[in-house]
């Protein structure tokens, strides 16, 4: 399956027509989690199961610390209750 036309703007540095949502799933997930808007993330959640999203958020090197933290909290990978104030503040300094 290919990237829908309305989401191709998030893939400005590659030819979106050559991307396949199955074989290039990790790249697609990372890009939408990092750069996508509400419509893009809704599409992403319809295309991939939560297990795949969790896997990418857990070990991606392409996600910024802010995005990784946001999606980690959204997907319930960790909570804010066990973080120190220093750690919480650190994510906003990048």
């Amino acid at each position: 399956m290919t990237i829908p036309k309305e989401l191709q703007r998030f893939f400005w540095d590659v030819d979106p027509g050559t991307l396949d949502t199955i074989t290039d799933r990790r790249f697609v997930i990372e890009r939408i989690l990092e750069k996508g808007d509400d419509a893009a993330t809704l599409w992403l959640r319809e295309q991939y199961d939560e297990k795949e999203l969790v896997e990418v958020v857990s070990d991606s090197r392409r996600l910024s610390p802010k995005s990784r933290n946001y999606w980690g909290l959204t997907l319930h990978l960790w909570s804010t209750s066990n973080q120190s104030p220093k750690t919480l503040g650190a994510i906003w300094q990048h």
Side-chain angles (χ1 to χ4, degrees), residues 14-57:
V14 296
D15 179 5
T18 63
L19 289 175
D20 181 74
T21 58
I22 296 170
T23 57
D24 300 311
R25 88 174 115 243
R26 185 172 188 84
F27 176 70
V28 171
I29 292 170
E30 287 171 332
R31 181 60 61 92
I32 296 296
L33 291 179
E34 185 68 31
K35 303 290 185 186
D37 58 12
D38 289 341
T41 55
L42 180 62
W43 173 84
L44 188 74
R45 288 176 158 239
E46 291 171 354
Q47 297 303 308
Y48 302 102
D49 62 30
E50 191 167 316
K51 181 181 175 188
E52 290 174 295
L53 300 178
V54 165
E55 182 180 308
V56 170
V57 171

